[in-house]
Amino acid sequence: MTQMTSPSVPLTGPNTSDRILPGALLMIAFCVLAPLLDVCSKLATQTLPVGQVTLARFVVQSLVMLPVVMWMGEWGRMDRRLFGMVVLRALFLVLSTYCFIAGISVMPIADALAIVFVEPFILLLMGKILFGEEVGPRRIAASIVGFAGALLVIQPAFATFGLVTLYPLGTAFLFAFYMLATRAISTRMHPVPMQLHTALAGTAICLPVILWAEGTGLPDLDPRMPQGIVWLWLFGVGFWASVSHMCMTYALKFAPSATLAPLHYFEIVVAVVLGYLVFSDFPNAMTWAGIAIITGSGLYVIWRERRSAQQRASLDALTDPSF
């Protein structure tokens, strides 16, 4: 599963440089690489339980990020007061990852990803409900339309795959909570060690569950010994998660999230292509309609967010005594 961006929820602190082209290229790289994580997950779940693949994501990501963080000299730079929030962030990510992998284990990646793309709408509404953030009626209407688009994707998939179709919707809600936790600590912790600490906490959450489940026969948790190329799929789950999220992290350092957010929808295109090439999956007409509605609604929300930000900046300039 991939990490979402929203113009109202930056993942990093203020941009130190506004270089649009490098940021856009890194964001496109994220959109190309992140679906490889999903492909590896789907391949791995053909022979391994969902819980074991989820654990692999965090174990490998910890191993990949550790030398990067040590090379940057950022190891250990975490305020102890943030420990609880980092663990909570990891818990939301573990649960959202599990739900997404459970979904794509039986349904096409593009269908599941399209459903997950309602997450920015959920985040927008949660911001209004939980924090009293100003959200205009047009953005609320766009969110409702986006949910309707998700229902178009869910309906035919539900008829084919059953209740498992609701897993990606669970991912969207859990990832919205993950983003709120990210926002709470993003200004007090560098995003790179944040990835490492989250991966370590995710491993600490998953490992006891998988050890407990060994021999229980639970289909989604009882671990099995990987065979042959399956080791490569497990490594790919964590590796592509690390690399793609690093691309996004540095994309947000070069360009504002409001500028990069529209590019994120390119991820659905890549997911469709990879799903067709690897699994011969191709969205049907109703799914395409849902994808179009979700994408259109999302782009409208992004445009409204950007316009509102510009209006606020203009008002601040007019009220500035030095203006």
Side-chain angles (χ1 to χ4, degrees), residues 40 228-237:
C40 289
I229 199 171
V230 178
W231 286 105
L232 181 61
W233 305 145
L234 289 178
F235 176 78
V237 171

Side-chain angles (χ1 to χ4, degrees), residues 21 25 34-35 45 48 79 81-82 105 123 125 158 168-169 187-188 195 216 237 243 284 289 301-303 323:
L21 182 58
L25 291 176
T45 55
L48 297 176
D79 190 328
R81 291 172 294 182
L82 299 179
S105 66
L123 197 58
L125 296 177
F158 187 85
L169 192 59
T187 58
R188 294 181 286 170
Q195 281 197 50
T216 61
V237 171
V243 175
N284 58 30
V301 168
I302 291 167
W303 176 76
F323 180 71

Side-chain angles (χ1 to χ4, degrees), residues 17 33 51 80 86 97 107 119 125 143 161 165 221-222 224 232 235 242 251 253 274 279 306 316:
S17 59
L33 297 176
R80 292 183 179 179
V86 170
T97 301
M107 63 188 295
E119 178 267 338
L125 296 177
S143 299
F161 305 110
T165 311
L221 294 175
D222 191 356
R224 305 169 199 160
L232 181 61
F235 176 78
S242 302
K253 280 186 168 292
L274 290 177
F279 305 105
R306 184 180 299 175
D316 289 344

